[in-house]
């Protein structure tokens, strides 16, 4: 059983709903999930996890300041996250609001840590995206992401 740290920031509750769906899917695949708000997460908790998923709302095409602050604090663990599985997801207020730039910003930080990122050739290529409250499509993308993240953990463990 792998251990996953799923940390997120959510002001309206939309990103939190996505986090809960992803966490539940990973749990049903027999992995432990630590689900925490990013403002209550110490970057040192990343060291004990096999997988790390970060969620953020999209603000002006970027991750929330709270998420960036967490990532900036993670620099003291540089090279210690090498080989762990990483992923990201986001919600925004509208289409074309910068969802992909938000996710890729998070993923670039995880790649600098040496983490393993898996894309998806189907739906949401970089990670799950919701516009406002997660609809049926984004719920399915969150579940699919959780399934694929779990399968990758299984292959690597």
């Amino acid at each position: 059983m792998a251990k996953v740290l799923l940390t997120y920031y959510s002001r309206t509750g939309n990103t939190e709903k996505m986090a809960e769906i992803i966490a539940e899917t990973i749990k049903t695949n027999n992995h432990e999930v630590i689900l925490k708000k990013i403002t209550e997460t110490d970057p040192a908790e990343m060291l004990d996890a096999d997988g790390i998923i970060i969620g953020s709302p999209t603000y002006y095409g970027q991750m929330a300041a709270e998420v960036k602050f967490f990532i900036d604090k993670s620099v003291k663990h540089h090279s210690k996250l090498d080989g762990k599985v990483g992923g990201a997801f986001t919600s925004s207020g509208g289409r074309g609001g910068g969802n992909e730039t938000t996710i890729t910003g998070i993923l670039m930080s995880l790649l600098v840590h040496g983490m393993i990122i898996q894309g998806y050739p189907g739906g949401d290529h970089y990670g799950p995206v919701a516009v406002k409250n997660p609809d049926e499509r984004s719920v399915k993308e969150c579940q699919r992401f959780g399934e694929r993240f779990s399968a990758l953990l299984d292959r690597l463990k």
Side-chain angles (χ1 to χ4, degrees):
M1 176 188 311
K3 182 176 179 180
V4 177
L5 173 64
L6 197 164
T7 187
Y8 65 93
Y9 178 74
S10 185
R11 187 172 294 158
T12 65
N14 294 333
T15 308
E16 182 173 34
K17 288 176 188 172
M18 296 175 74
E20 291 168 348
I21 294 163
I22 294 166
E24 192 57 40
T25 303
I26 292 171
K27 286 178 187 175
T28 62
N29 282 279
N30 299 316
H31 296 295
E32 178 185 356
V33 179
I34 309 302
L35 179 64
K36 295 181 77 171
K37 293 178 180 177
I38 208 153
T39 55
E40 299 169 359
T41 307
D42 184 323
E45 294 177 65
M46 299 168 79
L47 300 172
D48 294 328
D50 301 298
I52 299 158
I53 303 170
I54 298 177
S56 176
T58 294
Y59 294 148
Y60 290 93
Q62 301 295 320
M63 67 188 89
E66 292 82 356
V67 175
K68 179 67 166 96
F69 182 68
F70 175 84
I71 290 170
D72 287 347
K73 289 191 312 182
S74 75
V75 72
K76 61 185 163 190
H77 305 298
H78 184 71
S79 79
K80 297 175 186 166
L81 305 177
D82 190 32
K84 294 179 184 283
V85 178
F89 62 98
T90 189
S91 63
S92 68
R95 289 195 191 279
N99 293 318
E100 288 184 344
T101 55
T102 298
I103 289 179
T104 55
I106 296 168
L107 294 179
M108 283 189 293
S109 299
L110 300 180
L111 287 166
V112 169
H113 275 297
M115 296 178 68
I116 299 165
I117 308 297
Q118 180 178 21
Y120 179 56
D124 294 346
H125 305 303
Y126 305 105
V129 169
V131 176
K132 299 186 180 169
N133 191 34
D135 62 6
E136 183 179 334
R137 185 208 62 82
S138 54
V139 167
K140 287 180 182 176
E141 288 295 314
C142 287
Q143 291 167 336
R144 184 231 11 109
F145 176 81
E147 292 284 342
R148 289 174 57 85
F149 196 88
S150 297
L152 181 57
L153 284 170
D154 290 340
R155 284 194 305 271
L156 295 174
K157 295 233 7 133

